[in-house]
Amino acid sequence: MNILDKITLDKRKEVDLRKSLIPVTQLEQSVLFERQTASLANKLRHSKSGIIAEHKRRSPSKSIINNNLNVQDVAKGYENAGVCGMSVLTDGKYFGGSLDDLLIARASCNLPLLRKEFIIDEYQILEAKAYGADVILLIAAILTRQEIKQFSELAKSLKLDVLLEVHNEEELHKSIMPSLDMLGVNNRNLKTFDVSLETSKTLSTLIPDDFVKVSESGISNIEAIKELQPYGYQGFLIGENFMKTNNPGESATAFIKALNA
């Protein structure tokens, strides 16, 4: 069983528990449920840098990245840096995140917020909306085509953007549908954790231009972005690079300045 299978198995138990504690009606009564969402896809289309900066405390591949920062400072720092959006990991067991992180980020900035989560149930999409997200992530490796369709259409009905993540050609072919806004190519092989930008380059020609192309993982310098821009990528998800510093906002500011210089 690879790490993704393990996470997904644990996630099913976690979601069942959460559903038993907080009914859907309660989520729908959240103040944020009526909030006007912001489109990350639109921001990426009109941005020179295309940076989506992440809040991530730890990961299965890197263990602890940074446990000392508070979400509020990170969100404000990213917004001041001029990033296009912020990705907030809400998985607790493997990434040290929580839905409270999303709530705090929402209260601290006006950036489009991506709920970075292993979504396997419609309930999590309603949660994303109730906790202030603007975008959800769907991971093709853990979903069937029918689930991708069902989940993305629900997200669109809630005015949430959808970023669908793929790792290879097979996942890409099963996933392409009109209810997606962005197609993200994860350069990390989830079975071996090896990272290669070649994955983004190879898959770029297979992604129709209707979708905003996003490259994820292994983007730690501006050279990587300059290398990928000619392949049509408009979004770049950067997590560890900023989070491993004492001030992610400052490091994102310096990065974007250098990129646009």
Side-chain angles (χ1 to χ4, degrees), residues 5 94 170 189 212:
D5 296 336
Y94 295 90
E170 186 193 346
N189 180 320
V212 174

Side-chain angles (χ1 to χ4, degrees), residues 122-139:
E122 286 191 342
Y123 182 83
Q124 293 160 289
I125 301 168
L126 296 169
E127 270 183 336
K129 177 78 172 172
Y131 281 81
D134 302 276
V135 193
I136 60 154
L137 173 75
L138 296 178
I139 301 172

Side-chain angles (χ1 to χ4, degrees), residues 11-135:
K11 193 56 64 183
R12 291 194 190 280
K13 294 176 195 159
E14 182 196 315
V15 173
D16 285 345
L17 176 65
R18 284 243 277 282
K19 281 165 122 173
S20 69
L21 296 172
I22 300 176
V24 165
T25 48
Q26 197 174 324
L27 292 175
E28 290 172 341
Q29 283 160 10
S30 146
V31 178
L32 291 169
F33 213 83
E34 298 307 315
R35 179 184 151 266
Q36 181 93 39
T37 52
S39 171
L40 177 60
N42 286 347
K43 265 195 110 166
L44 292 175
R45 277 194 184 96
H46 302 106
S47 164
K48 279 196 298 194
S49 71
I51 304 295
I52 306 161
E54 193 153 81
H55 179 270
K56 172 156 73 169
R57 290 188 182 86
R58 64 171 196 261
S59 76
S61 61
K62 291 274 166 71
S63 62
I64 289 174
I65 297 160
N66 198 329
N67 268 338
N68 306 321
L69 300 167
N70 71 56
V71 182
Q72 186 178 356
D73 292 343
V74 176
K76 285 181 171 162
Y78 282 159
E79 186 167 39
N80 292 339
V83 304
C84 290
M86 178 174 172
S87 161
V88 182
L89 269 136
T90 59
D91 174 79
K93 183 168 181 181
Y94 295 90
F95 292 87
S98 71
L99 276 164
D100 283 348
D101 289 342
L102 188 57
L103 216 46
I104 294 165
R106 178 74 292 146
S108 312
C109 72
N110 290 313
L111 292 168
L113 295 182
L114 163 71
R115 180 186 186 190
K116 187 98 175 275
E117 182 54 91
F118 299 85
I119 289 180
I120 41 92
D121 193 297
E122 286 191 342
Y123 182 83
Q124 293 160 289
I125 301 168
L126 296 169
E127 270 183 336
K129 177 78 172 172
Y131 281 81
D134 302 276
V135 193

Side-chain angles (χ1 to χ4, degrees), residues 85-207:
M86 178 174 172
S87 161
V88 182
L89 269 136
T90 59
D91 174 79
K93 183 168 181 181
Y94 295 90
F95 292 87
S98 71
L99 276 164
D100 283 348
D101 289 342
L102 188 57
L103 216 46
I104 294 165
R106 178 74 292 146
S108 312
C109 72
N110 290 313
L111 292 168
L113 295 182
L114 163 71
R115 180 186 186 190
K116 187 98 175 275
E117 182 54 91
F118 299 85
I119 289 180
I120 41 92
D121 193 297
E122 286 191 342
Y123 182 83
Q124 293 160 289
I125 301 168
L126 296 169
E127 270 183 336
K129 177 78 172 172
Y131 281 81
D134 302 276
V135 193
I136 60 154
L137 173 75
L138 296 178
I139 301 172
I142 61 174
L143 300 170
T144 62
R145 180 175 173 83
Q146 185 48 43
E147 285 171 326
I148 294 168
K149 185 176 189 294
Q150 181 190 340
F151 295 166
S152 57
E153 286 175 357
L154 172 63
K156 296 317 294 172
S157 74
L158 295 169
K159 304 280 191 290
L160 295 169
D161 269 8
V162 180
L163 168 62
L164 184 106
E165 175 180 301
V166 298
H167 298 86
N168 55 41
E169 199 174 324
E170 186 193 346
E171 288 175 8
L172 183 61
H173 288 313
K174 83 166 180 188
S175 307
I176 290 179
M177 55 186 76
S179 44
L180 309 174
D181 302 284
M182 295 164 279
L183 271 160
V185 177
N186 193 334
N187 300 305
R188 176 174 282 125
N189 180 320
L190 288 182
K191 297 188 171 108
T192 62
F193 281 115
D194 294 340
V195 173
S196 166
L197 294 184
E198 292 307 312
T199 312
S200 280
K201 293 178 187 174
T202 310
L203 294 181
S204 67
T205 52
L206 305 170
I207 301 173

